Amino acid sequence: MSGRDELVERVHALLAAPRPWAVTQVGDPVLRRPAEPYDGQLPDALLRELLDAMFRHLPGVGVGLAAPQVGIPLALAVIEDPAEVPPEVAAERERVPQPPLELVNPVVTPLGSRYHAFYEGCLSVEGLTAVVARHARVRLAACDGSGRPYEMELSGWPARIAQHETDHLNGILYLDRAEPRSLSTVANYERFSAPRHEDGEDARRA
């Protein structure tokens, strides 16, 4: 069986799996290998089905998902953030609603020298959170699921999500960029560190 045939079988198996999907956890080698650039390894209809299913996984779970997190080693990711947080949190974190974005072979380029440091979590690192400094503004260049290229500037929380997801596609986890002494269980973060106006969900997982 060719590598492409194996990928097609793997995607079909994923789409048939019970929902919500079991997200690949830290320690699995697929999270530490750079994803394979997407160049048509999947039939167009199957790619469309995969991206749509990845979006359907997000509500109530996270704000982004990269294909390696569900065992598919391709440079694909999706982002969507309704930003349903208190106004004070939204203002502090520059968190605005981010409509759905399909990221095929994405490249993120920092803009300016400003960084923001906030707690961040990850669907592939269950139960933990840590402070990560990220570029406050970036340029995102990618293709959508139909192969149309696009570029856009992102700032604040959407820029953080884009950096987190493209890191996944390069075999990087947020823990690699985190301040080690800030590492906490989510429960202890909510108990000791979360500002009082937060609802315990400051850093939606990606």
Side-chain angles (χ1 to χ4, degrees):
M1 180 184 298
S2 72
R4 294 200 176 199
D5 289 341
E6 183 180 347
L7 269 174
V8 168
E9 279 201 2
R10 194 179 301 183
V11 171
H12 278 300
L14 174 67
L15 294 173
R19 306 297 177 87
W21 287 327
V23 175
T24 302
Q25 293 300 300
V26 60
D28 189 311
V30 72
L31 295 173
R32 288 310 196 174
R33 291 192 292 262
E36 184 179 340
Y38 185 77
D39 66 357
Q41 291 94 329
L42 306 177
D44 290 346
L46 187 59
L47 174 63
R48 176 78 273 141
E49 191 175 354
L50 173 60
L51 293 173
D52 288 347
M54 290 169 69
F55 277 119
R56 289 196 299 273
H57 181 82
L58 293 180
V61 175
V63 294
L65 185 68
Q69 291 182 277
V70 286
I72 308 299
L74 296 174
L76 309 170
V78 298
I79 289 172
E80 183 176 14
D81 182 12
E84 295 171 345
V85 296
E88 309 95 303
V89 177
E92 182 183 10
R93 286 155 173 70
E94 298 182 26
R95 185 169 177 180
V96 297
Q98 174 57 57
L101 274 181
E102 298 171 351
L103 281 63
V104 178
N105 298 329
V107 175
V108 165
T109 304
L111 297 174
S113 58
R114 191 164 62 106
Y115 284 79
H116 283 164
F118 292 116
Y119 275 91
E120 192 168 311
C122 181
L123 296 174
S124 291
V125 187
E126 288 185 350
L128 297 177
T129 185
V131 172
V132 182
R134 298 275 190 187
H135 294 281
R137 292 176 56 243
V138 300
R139 177 179 293 108
L140 170 65
C143 291
D144 64 17
S146 298
R148 292 184 292 262
Y150 67 89
E151 287 193 15
M152 63 193 311
E153 290 189 14
L154 298 172
S155 62
W157 213 257
R160 175 174 294 271
I161 301 169
Q163 290 170 83
H164 183 113
E165 298 308 326
T166 53
D167 271 355
H168 271 304
L169 302 181
N170 290 308
I172 297 169
L173 295 176
Y174 86 94
L175 294 175
D176 302 331
R177 302 190 185 279
E179 298 177 15
R181 287 182 62 85
S182 71
L183 186 66
S184 170
T185 65
V186 172
N188 278 341
Y189 166 77
E190 293 174 1
R191 182 181 178 190
F192 297 113
S193 301
R196 292 181 183 276
H197 58 246
E198 288 190 3
D199 61 1
E201 196 181 343
D202 81 311
R204 290 289 295 276
R205 298 174 297 170

